[in-house]
Amino acid sequence: MDKYGLIGFPLKHSFSPLIHNKAFKYLNIDAHYEKYEVSDQKFEHSILQLKESDIKGFNVTVPYKQKIIPYIDELEPLAKKVGAINTIKKSGNRWIGYNTDLYGLLIPLENHLKLISSVLIIGAGGAGNAACFALLNKKEIRKIDIVNRSKENAINLSHSLKKEFTFEGEVYDSKEIIKNRNKYDLIINTTSVGMGDLIKESPINITSVAHKKTIVYDLIYNPKETLLLKTAIKQNLRVINGLKMLIGQAKKSFEIWTGQEYPANIISEDFFYKK
Ligand code: ATR
């Protein structure tokens, strides 16, 4: 049986094993996908062990998408540019790294891109960087502002993006954004504020930055509706959670590993959120 998996911490609530194992079963592929929850102290040891193992491929999630890079033998060009990977495929004894998050992130926006020119990204970590990269690869989008708890991290992200792309973009800290007069077509939360221990919190107050047609996109998929999305729904705004992105990146990883397309219609959103 071929082995696949997911490395990260914590992984208790991950939907990835469900997504991949369902497709392996459906396509009669003799393979299994499992979680490898790895603490920061055991990270190097676990990676070296995995390198010796016969695992065919794995996903990497928070907090290791950047930290794993030194252990990768070859990076796909886009992954190299973004500096973060979420998918590894073993080829002979070599590990090849890919970033399928960028693809997944755009999936729920595809039908809306014509209506989006200005974007506010909340957060300036790895996920914030990936979101900016994915969007700036789209010609429609030329204005991206970033708001972050620490302004310094937002400034650093903006500088590194401006080396790669030509775009208009301001940075704000969480206090300054309230006084900002811009309204955005799309607001994306890339922080973990709204999940886990931060489930009762919202990363910003969207009232001052949203117009009537703003799309509010939270990369969090569990809970289904974060406080940010609940507030947006109350204001009759269009909302998107992170499930479509999760499924999108998983499908792409599946294709990289197996060379087969992820079967259509074997999973739906209800499948994950049933009580
Ligand atoms: P990831 O790779 O998932 O993006 P990260 O690199 O640790 O993770 O970045 C986390 C992001 O969430 C950062 O933008 C962080 O803000 P800081 O740059 O100020 O640290 C933001 N974040 C995390 N916890 C937060 C909190 N409690 N309130 C506001 N922002 C938070």
Side-chain angles (χ1 to χ4, degrees):
M1 180 179 285
D2 290 343
K3 278 195 277 180
Y4 294 92
L6 170 65
I7 285 188
F9 191 91
L11 295 180
K12 206 160 82 197
H13 300 291
S14 170
F15 292 158
S16 295
L18 259 172
I19 301 175
H20 290 287
N21 287 327
K22 202 162 168 71
F24 287 143
K25 199 169 168 192
Y26 185 85
L27 294 172
N28 280 321
I29 297 174
D30 187 23
H32 189 71
Y33 182 106
E34 62 186 278
K35 296 189 240 184
Y36 300 91
E37 197 168 70
V38 172
S39 66
D40 205 29
Q41 300 93 306
K42 296 212 172 121
F43 178 74
E44 176 153 31
H45 177 74
S46 306
I47 293 299
L48 295 177
Q49 253 186 349
L50 212 56
K51 202 129 204 189
E52 296 302 313
S53 78
D54 55 0
I55 195 158
K56 294 267 178 188
F58 58 98
N59 287 127
V60 187
T61 189
V62 178
Y64 304 129
K65 289 181 186 184
Q66 287 150 312
K67 199 172 174 180
I68 193 138
I69 292 208
Y71 303 90
I72 305 302
D73 300 296
E74 187 184 327
L75 288 174
E76 165 238 10
L78 193 57
K80 196 171 186 172
K81 270 193 183 172
V82 185
I85 59 169
N86 73 319
T87 304
I88 290 156
K89 180 185 172 145
K90 195 166 184 174
S91 168
N93 264 336
R94 291 163 61 75
W95 277 0
I96 323 278
Y98 303 81
N99 189 315
T100 70
D101 281 337
L102 301 178
Y103 166 84
L105 192 134
L106 292 175
I107 295 261
L109 297 175
E110 258 157 26
N111 293 333
H112 306 296
L113 277 176
K114 280 195 197 102
L115 302 171
I116 301 169
S117 66
S118 65
V119 183
L120 178 65
I121 298 289
I122 310 170
N129 178 40
C132 292
F133 243 91
L135 290 166
L136 287 167
N137 272 312
K138 291 279 160 191
K139 62 178 182 327
E140 292 87 348
I141 290 155
R142 281 297 160 261
K143 179 172 172 60
I144 297 194
D145 288 355
I146 301 167
V147 53
N148 195 47
R149 175 176 62 180
S150 115
K151 191 165 176 180
E152 196 189 346
N153 289 345
I155 292 171
N156 290 341
L157 173 57
S158 178
H159 278 167
S160 79
L161 289 165
K162 283 184 173 163
K163 285 186 197 147
E164 265 318 306
F165 302 97
T166 309
F167 71 103
E168 219 187 293
E170 303 293 325
V171 297
Y172 304 92
D173 66 27
S174 318
K175 288 191 193 97
E176 290 167 342
I177 193 73
I178 301 166
K179 295 177 213 138
N180 156 24
R181 303 209 161 265
N182 294 325
K183 310 271 183 205
Y184 300 91
D185 304 323
L186 172 66
I187 298 171
I188 309 184
N189 175 37
T190 71
T191 75
S192 49
V193 181
M195 65 183 269
D197 294 342
L198 305 174
I199 196 160
K200 293 194 176 129
E201 292 179 31
S202 177
I204 61 162
N205 177 352
I206 48 167
T207 313
S208 61
V209 285
H211 56 64
K212 277 188 191 149
K213 296 205 164 157
T214 297
I215 299 171
V216 183
Y217 183 5
D218 200 324
L219 301 190
I220 296 171
Y221 61 84
N222 194 357
K224 184 179 180 186
E225 280 169 12
T226 55
L227 182 57
L228 176 75
L229 294 191
K230 282 189 178 131
T231 315
I233 291 166
K234 275 193 198 137
Q235 294 178 30
N236 289 319
L237 300 176
R238 191 191 288 268
V239 300
I240 303 169
N241 76 4
L243 188 63
K244 287 193 175 70
M245 172 179 175
L246 178 80
I247 295 173
Q249 64 75 29
K251 286 182 173 175
K252 198 85 178 165
S253 300
F254 187 88
E255 286 171 24
I256 289 169
W257 292 329
T258 65
Q260 299 197 46
E261 230 175 86
Y262 193 93
N265 305 324
I266 63 164
I267 47 170
S268 72
E269 296 202 12
D270 301 343
F271 181 73
F272 297 96
Y273 296 123
K274 62 181 177 244
K275 284 173 195 113

